[in-house]
Amino acid sequence: MTLPSASPTRAQTPDKESVPFHEPAADGYPLGGFTWRHALPDTRRPVVIINAATSVRCRHYSRFAAYLFANGFDVLTYDYRGVGESRPSSMKGLKASWTDWGALDFEAMLKRAQREFPGQPIDVIGHSFGGCAAGLGASGQVIRRLVTVGAQFAYWRDYAPEHRLRMFGKWHVLMPLLTLFCGYFPGKRLGWLEDTPAGVVRDWSTPTPRYEGRPSGRKLLARDGRLPFAEVRAKALAISIGDDPYGTVAATERLLGYFSQAEKTHLRIEPQDIGEQEVGHFAFFRSAYQATLWPIALTWLQTGELASDTPGRKIPRSQAL
């Protein structure tokens, strides 16, 4: 797949207002990230956790984090195990799955936010798989507001029809084959993604429409007898972009269906709605969209509502799968 906006930009350097941190995941794995914290605590000020896309470094979201900080939020960004600030010395043999990224790594960020910002509301931004991770933490009931962008868990039939066969070959055939050969997916050398743990690749490439059909989803269901998505009772805004081949209406609605107790709004934006020819899967968080797309997420975090002049259209809940 060769789309101009099909891959993340080179990782940005967090600005001088951010501070690096290390936090053990729920199982003790060391995670790295960055905090944007205002000098004086204020229980009225929300703290936002940003969940990255699969194998995209948290530094990709640094400018967006700084934008939220400048608009009155405290912010946490972090890398899942195996990626960026949380990468071990060797990727071979690393046990990490999508469920680990949500149930262990994201859960640790929820706990950190409660500890480091006591009494403050907790909001979440989830990009791509990061929106799914937002439903996998056991403490999901503490999330006040949730914004997802292009969020889904890669069911191949939900990919945009014009890209579906090529994407299936790339992500569901070639990626697992290279992972089998290397012990992990060497995405960085290919210029596709950051290097990706083998367990994450197994989850991504398994062709099932149900999250509990993914290898680590099955284990989570077998262990607890349930998936924790229903713990999230947040006001949730799902943003999908018209030319995003991953985050189609079907893919977005498939994931939204798991958030059974959340108050859900699905906003579909075509590039032409904001005067652009293309946006794609990754560009939302680039500073070029600070004036057009970022205020949508900001307003939702501030008010739990869409502004009257918000571009795009709401997808009726009757289209839910």
Side-chain angles (χ1 to χ4, degrees), residues 306-320:
L306 293 173
S308 59
D309 60 349
T310 300
R313 62 185 178 93
K314 291 183 182 180
I315 300 296
R317 297 307 320 140
S318 59
Q319 290 193 25

Side-chain angles (χ1 to χ4, degrees), residues 186-216:
K188 196 167 185 177
R189 276 179 278 173
L190 296 170
W192 292 1
L193 298 167
E194 293 293 309
D195 295 342
T196 305
V200 170
V201 171
R202 285 192 291 273
D203 280 334
W204 184 341
S205 60
T206 300
T208 173
R210 303 294 296 172
Y211 185 79
E212 59 268 35
R214 307 301 166 104
S216 71

Side-chain angles (χ1 to χ4, degrees), residues 256-275:
L256 277 179
Y258 282 88
F259 291 93
S260 59
Q261 300 304 308
E263 184 179 336
K264 297 170 283 192
T265 298
H266 180 179
L267 178 67
R268 183 74 170 173
I269 302 173
E270 300 296 333
Q272 295 77 15
D273 295 335
I274 58 169

Side-chain angles (χ1 to χ4, degrees), residues 219-233:
K219 290 180 181 178
L220 180 62
L221 194 65
R223 184 171 70 242
D224 295 335
R226 64 181 185 87
L227 296 177
F229 291 91
E231 296 297 322
V232 178
R233 296 173 174 83

Side-chain angles (χ1 to χ4, degrees), residues 6 10 72 78 81 109 129 162 196 230 251 267 274 308:
R10 186 171 59 182
Y78 70 103
R81 62 189 65 201
M109 294 304 117
F129 170 75
E162 63 271 28
T196 305
L267 178 67
I274 58 169
S308 59

Side-chain angles (χ1 to χ4, degrees), residues 2-54:
T2 54
L3 293 173
S5 54
S7 59
T9 53
R10 186 171 59 182
Q12 302 158 6
T13 301
D15 58 40
K16 62 183 180 181
E17 294 170 322
S18 67
V19 177
F21 70 82
H22 290 90
E23 177 78 18
D27 63 345
Y29 184 96
L31 303 172
F34 299 91
T35 302
W36 284 256
R37 181 198 296 270
H38 290 268
L40 298 177
D42 187 342
T43 56
R44 296 168 298 177
R45 181 192 307 121
V47 55
V48 180
I49 302 169
I50 299 180
N51 286 349
T54 295

